[in-house]
């Protein structure tokens, strides 16, 4: 468990040679820490193992998992594409010098302003979610006398085994148009064919997140390839790109079985080769991993204060963050592993719920976990917090957002810790 650069020496935890306890002295807690080694090796694994003989492979980093300028720089260094789901994401990416032609714009309810912004900034690919959006986009492109490469998002009706809030391809999902709704597909294809400004390159699907089983992706590949081939033939329309989305799971709990990026990508690439061998229409396959690139790289450090014993029997270990920096336990019942960075070898024999400082009983970091004897000032490390923690953080109870540091050979501050004065920024 833990990022690649983590090392235990005696009772202490180190990341790439930096003692974690010392880092908090400089940067204070709560503190998000990202391991550069882990991020780079995840990207390199995708580039090495997502490869086949019968398709060009393209990797799009799903920036909703974690988006700060320094990370944009790393993504760009590897020439990955990157997705965005709002004008805000596009803005941060562009301001961080990410090439607009390598951006892929997603979203189930893109506003007129957002579509305009995307067109004006020459975003490479827009993934159109629905017929209404298609009409809006055509109107904008016609008015601006410009053309746009698009994919169309489909719902393939696949029930992946993951939390219901992060399933995205059941028949009732809000994302995309159903591939089984022949009427809407016909309307979409005829509208696109009649338009001179829409260049449909293919279809997109994303079946959910934190998926460990290859079977769900296999079903997706089978359905999507068949469908795309059928539509291409039926409408005599060239559809060279298929985007399979992201969703590759990571390990959060000790006992959780997880497929490595290498194994998952080898399975996926092999299946793609099998189905694309006889298919000369689809030339390029895109995937959109987010969590698996940044999730395992992250840890969050908190300062512990005390274990509060309740009359009812539960012991609460209080830390100085909570649902504001990690909403996932409250939102998805997500479970995280944790350790005390200055007591790595000590016996864990006290059962506690680790909780934060927000005025909510659901403000939980980890339920039912054994920890060693706690002294005021001990530092807790929570593993695998690199994805969907910082990006989903809030200022509830006016807690300040923690800093994010990137630890490689050197330390880079990816995002500064908020100051009290930041809380008044919008009121002035
Ligand atoms: N592509 C699309 C269209 C997506 O909607 C997503 C995630 C991804 C790619 C990247 O999925 P990943 O590889 O990161 O699983 N907040 C939730 C996860 C929401 C995922 C939303 N879409 C969580 O904390 O578990």
């Amino acid at each position: 468990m833990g990022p690649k650069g983590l090392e235990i020496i005696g009772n202490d935890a180190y990341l790439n040679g930096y003692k974690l306890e010392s880092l908090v002295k400089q940067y204070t807690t709560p503190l998000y820490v990202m391991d550069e080694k882990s991020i780079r090796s995840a990207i390199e694994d995708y580039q090495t193992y997502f490869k086949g003989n019968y398709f060009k492979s393209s990797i799009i980093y799903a920036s909703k998992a974690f988006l700060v300028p320094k990370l944009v720089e790393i993504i760009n260094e590897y020439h990955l594409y990157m997705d965005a789901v709002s004008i805000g994401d596009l803005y941060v990416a562009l301001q961080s010098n990410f090439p607009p032609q390598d951006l892929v714009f997603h979203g189930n309810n893109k506003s007129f302003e957002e579509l305009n912004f995307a067109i004006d900034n020459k975003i490479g690919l827009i993934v159109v979610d629905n017929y209404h959006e298609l009409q809006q986009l055509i109107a904008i492109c016609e008015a601006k006398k410009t053309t746009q490469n698009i994919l169309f998002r489909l719902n393939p009706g696949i029930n992946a085994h993951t939390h219901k809030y992060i399933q995205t391809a059941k028949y009732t999902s809000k994302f995309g148009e159903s591939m089984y709704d022949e009427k809407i597909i016909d309307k979409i294809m005829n509208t696109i064919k009649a338009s001179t400004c829409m260049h449909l390159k293919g279809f997109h699907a994303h079946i959910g997140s934190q998926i460990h089983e290859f079977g769900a992706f296999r079903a997706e590949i089978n359905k999507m390839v068949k469908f795309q081939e059928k539509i291409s033939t039926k409408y005599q329309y060239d559809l060279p790109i298929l985007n399979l989305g992201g969703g590759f799971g990571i390990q959060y709990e000790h006992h959780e079985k997880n497929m490595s990026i290498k194994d998952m990508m080898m399975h996926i690439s092999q299946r793609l080769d099998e189905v694309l061998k006889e298919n000369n229409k689809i030339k390029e396959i895109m995937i959109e991993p987010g969590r698996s690139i940044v999730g395992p790289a992250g840890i969050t450090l908190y300062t512990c204060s005390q274990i509060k014993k309740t009359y009812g029997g539960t012991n609460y270990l209080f830390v100085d963050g909570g649902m504001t920096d990690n909403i996932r336990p409250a939102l998805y019942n997500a479970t995280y592993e944790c350790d005390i960075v200055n007591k790595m070898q000590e016996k864990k024999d006290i059962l506690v719920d680790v909780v934060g400082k927000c005025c909510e009983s659901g403000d939980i970091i980890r339920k039912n976990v054994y920890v060693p004897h706690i002294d005021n000032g001990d530092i807790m490390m929570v593993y695998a917090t690199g994805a969907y923690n910082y990006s989903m953080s809030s200022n509830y109870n006016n807690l300040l957002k923690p800093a994010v540091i990137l630890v490689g050979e050197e330390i880079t501050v990816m995002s500064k810790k908020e100051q009290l004065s930041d809380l008044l920024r919008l009121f002035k």
Side-chain angles (χ1 to χ4, degrees):
M1 194 96 229
K4 288 205 179 300
L6 188 73
E7 202 187 352
I8 311 302
I9 304 172
N11 242 342
D12 297 306
Y14 291 76
L15 187 63
N16 299 321
Y18 292 95
K19 193 173 178 182
L20 293 177
E21 203 185 0
S22 312
L23 287 182
V24 304
K25 289 205 175 93
Q26 187 173 353
Y27 296 101
T28 73
T29 54
L31 179 65
Y32 294 113
V33 181
M34 300 294 287
D35 173 28
E36 190 168 349
K37 241 188 218 168
S38 298
I39 297 174
R40 289 185 183 276
S41 100
I43 296 173
E44 285 159 18
D45 281 353
Y46 273 111
Q47 291 187 322
T48 309
Y49 300 110
F50 178 52
K51 246 188 205 145
N53 297 317
Y54 299 100
F55 61 95
K56 170 177 181 250
S57 33
S58 297
I59 301 159
I60 303 168
Y61 168 64
S63 73
K64 65 209 84 185
F66 178 59
L67 177 61
V68 294
K70 177 65 193 174
L71 187 75
V72 175
E73 200 182 287
I74 296 175
I75 295 298
N76 198 18
E77 193 188 310
Y78 285 92
H79 303 293
L80 263 51
Y81 294 93
M82 190 164 75
D83 89 346
V85 285
S86 67
I87 194 169
D89 282 350
L90 289 172
Y91 179 76
V92 171
L94 293 170
Q95 291 292 315
S96 312
N97 299 318
F98 200 79
Q101 70 274 14
D102 292 347
L103 283 169
V104 178
F105 189 27
H106 274 293
N108 68 296
N109 188 22
K110 304 176 191 77
S111 68
F112 190 72
E113 182 199 9
E114 288 178 315
L115 290 172
N116 255 300
F117 185 87
I119 300 294
D120 289 345
N121 285 282
K122 305 206 176 331
I123 300 307
L125 200 53
I126 297 181
V127 182
V128 178
D129 180 87
N130 53 66
Y131 187 69
H132 168 80
E133 184 182 311
L134 177 66
Q135 286 176 307
Q136 271 205 327
L137 192 58
I138 291 175
I140 295 170
C141 289
E142 278 175 356
K144 293 184 191 284
K145 295 196 177 16
T146 181
T147 60
Q148 177 64 44
N149 285 343
I150 60 167
L151 297 181
F152 206 99
R153 180 158 183 172
L154 291 177
N155 178 351
I158 292 170
N159 218 339
H161 290 150
T162 186
H163 191 280
K164 65 178 186 299
Y165 285 6
I166 47 180
Q167 286 178 336
T168 48
K170 288 168 59 169
Y171 292 127
T172 51
S173 162
K174 74 169 179 173
F175 301 103
E177 300 280 13
S178 173
M179 64 153 62
Y180 301 104
D181 189 338
E182 284 180 24
K183 266 197 196 143
I184 192 85
I185 299 295
D186 197 49
K187 223 161 102 175
I188 290 165
M189 289 310 297
N190 288 329
T191 306
I192 289 172
K193 280 190 83 167
S195 154
T196 49
C197 54
M198 286 297 98
H199 294 166
L200 178 68
K201 294 291 171 189
F203 292 107
H204 166 276
H206 168 76
I207 59 172
S209 199
Q210 185 56 4
I211 300 169
H212 290 297
E213 22 144 32
F214 166 62
F217 293 111
R218 186 188 163 93
E220 184 192 12
I221 292 170
N222 295 350
K223 281 190 182 190
M224 291 299 291
V225 169
K226 225 186 204 167
F227 181 85
Q228 189 148 321
E229 199 172 12
K230 187 179 94 186
I231 296 296
S232 173
T233 308
K234 182 171 171 190
Y235 293 92
Q236 291 297 300
Y237 200 103
D238 210 16
L239 298 171
I241 303 177
L242 171 61
N243 184 330
L244 296 169
F248 315 109
I250 64 166
Q251 186 187 18
Y252 283 105
E253 294 176 76
H254 289 312
H255 69 264
E256 202 168 19
K257 281 212 183 81
N258 182 53
M259 232 194 225
S260 63
I261 294 173
K262 175 181 173 188
D263 287 348
M264 184 62 97
M265 288 305 114
M266 282 172 73
H267 275 82
I268 286 180
S269 304
Q270 193 189 342
R271 181 63 195 149
L272 282 167
D273 262 354
E274 283 163 14
V275 295
L276 294 178
K277 195 171 177 183
E278 308 297 330
N279 177 316
N280 52 14
K281 293 193 158 87
I282 299 174
K283 312 274 186 224
E284 180 175 351
I285 303 289
M286 294 178 159
I287 53 166
E288 301 175 324
R291 185 192 316 265
S292 45
I293 289 183
V294 288
I299 53 175
T300 307
L301 300 177
Y302 300 104
T303 302
C304 304
S305 58
Q306 58 152 330
I307 294 177
K308 181 179 185 180
K309 293 187 171 36
T310 61
Y311 184 60
T314 303
N315 297 327
Y316 289 108
L317 168 51
F318 288 169
V319 297
D320 60 348
M323 64 194 292
T324 43
D325 60 75
N326 187 356
I327 191 70
R328 299 193 70 262
L331 203 51
Y332 316 114
N333 270 327
T335 308
Y336 286 85
E337 302 290 353
C338 53
D339 271 313
I340 302 298
V341 303
N342 50 309
K343 293 183 174 170
M344 292 302 290
Q345 311 285 2
E346 283 187 22
K347 194 159 172 243
K348 297 175 171 183
D349 52 4
I350 306 173
L351 185 65
V352 297
D353 284 358
V354 180
V355 298
K357 54 193 277 112
C358 295
C359 294
E360 300 273 340
S361 298
D363 177 26
I364 294 161
I365 296 291
R366 165 71 203 237
K367 255 183 162 353
N368 281 331
V369 66
Y370 281 97
V371 293
H373 167 79
I374 296 292
D375 293 299
N376 183 20
D378 280 344
I379 304 298
M380 171 170 283
M381 124 171 93
V382 176
Y383 297 97
T385 59
Y388 303 112
N389 271 227
Y390 176 80
S391 62
M392 294 176 82
S393 63
S394 76
N395 285 118
Y396 182 48
N397 290 167
N398 277 317
L399 296 196
L400 301 171
K401 287 194 189 177
V404 189
I405 59 169
L406 178 71
V407 180
E409 272 176 32
E410 287 165 10
I411 296 180
T412 312
V413 178
M414 289 182 126
S415 176
K416 286 186 241 166
K417 185 187 171 105
E418 270 182 339
Q419 302 298 312
L420 282 174
S421 57
D422 291 324
L423 296 174
L424 294 176
R425 192 179 85 237
L426 301 175
F427 308 136
K428 281 181 184 154

